[in-house]
């Protein structure tokens, strides 16, 4: 059975998560991004994205994404894109800032939307969802996506 998506703001995770973490879903505005890379040839690739939203915009949430191939990673086309993270592990690192990880790569998913402020539709740039599940997943998110687009101006 598919779990219901409860979309939370990053600030809600910052006030409720602990060092042990909590799994959830969130939308964020991309403010920084590294390309997927390996620190060690024997390890997975890693990508770091920093995101904010209207209620959590002082210290960006650092999102760490791990994958065994380059196809596992979201395609961020520009700073200002909007990313939806589903089933990511949100935790407070050293009591200072919020971070998120795709700890369980088999269930963590993402969707990248264009952050262009004049866009009125979903404008999906990249997704780890199938097309059928993508349409079902984002139903009802357009207002939240457009609010982030407006916030990015």
């Amino acid at each position: 059975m598919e779990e219901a998506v409860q979309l939370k703001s990053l600030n809600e995770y910052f006030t409720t998560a602990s060092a042990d973490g909590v799994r959830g879903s969130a939308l964020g505005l991309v403010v920084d991004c590294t390309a997927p890379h390996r620190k060690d040839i024997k390890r997975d690739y890693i990508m770091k994205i920093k995101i904010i939203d209207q209620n959590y915009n002082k210290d960006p949430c650092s999102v760490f994404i791990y994958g065994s191939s380059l196809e596992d990673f979201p395609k961020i086309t520009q700073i200002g894109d909007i990313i939806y993270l589903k089933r990511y592990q949100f935790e407070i690192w050293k009591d200072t800032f919020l971070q998120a990880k795709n700890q369980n790569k088999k269930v963590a998913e993402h969707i990248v939307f264009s952050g262009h402020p004049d866009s009125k539709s979903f404008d999906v740039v990249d997704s780890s969802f199938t097309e059928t599940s993508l349409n079902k997943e984002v139903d009802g998110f357009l207002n939240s996506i457009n609010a982030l687009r407006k916030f990015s101006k």
Side-chain angles (χ1 to χ4, degrees):
M1 182 165 111
E2 180 67 22
E3 69 186 65
V5 175
Q6 183 179 5
L7 198 60
K8 291 185 179 181
S9 74
L10 296 174
N11 195 54
E12 287 178 273
Y13 285 115
F14 186 72
T15 58
T16 61
S18 66
D20 297 332
V22 59
R23 196 163 73 177
S25 301
L27 273 170
L29 182 70
V30 176
V31 295
D32 194 17
C33 179
T34 66
H37 61 282
R38 282 186 170 157
K39 291 191 177 202
D40 183 331
I41 196 71
K42 296 178 184 175
R43 295 192 158 186
D44 280 351
Y45 290 93
I46 183 172
M47 178 182 198
K48 182 178 178 183
I49 303 171
K50 291 186 178 183
I51 60 173
I52 60 173
D53 67 18
Q54 304 92 314
N55 300 310
Y56 189 83
N57 55 22
K58 293 180 182 166
D59 293 319
C61 172
S62 294
V63 180
F64 296 94
I65 302 174
Y66 302 92
S68 55
S69 75
L70 295 175
E71 290 76 37
D72 296 338
F73 294 91
K75 311 298 185 272
I76 306 293
T77 57
Q78 62 185 4
I79 299 302
D81 280 348
I82 296 166
I83 190 165
Y84 167 63
L85 307 171
K86 182 176 182 183
R87 296 187 200 108
Y88 271 65
Q89 184 77 19
F90 289 86
E91 59 192 25
I92 306 298
W93 190 75
K94 293 189 177 179
D95 294 325
T96 57
F97 69 88
L98 183 66
Q99 69 179 18
K101 300 177 188 174
N102 65 335
Q103 287 296 95
N104 188 341
K105 294 177 273 194
K106 290 182 170 100
V107 299
E109 297 179 281
H110 67 269
I111 306 170
V112 179
F113 303 94
S114 168
H116 194 279
D118 296 329
S119 184
K120 301 294 182 220
S121 65
F122 287 113
D123 269 345
V124 174
V125 174
D126 181 54
S127 173
S128 62
F129 289 82
T130 65
E131 190 170 338
T132 305
S133 64
L134 172 67
N135 293 333
K136 190 168 88 174
E137 189 70 31
V138 299
D139 188 38
F141 286 2
L142 189 55
N143 288 341
S144 298
I145 293 166
N146 285 334
L148 277 172
R149 287 175 176 148
K150 185 176 179 182
F151 170 69
S152 73
K153 285 185 178 183

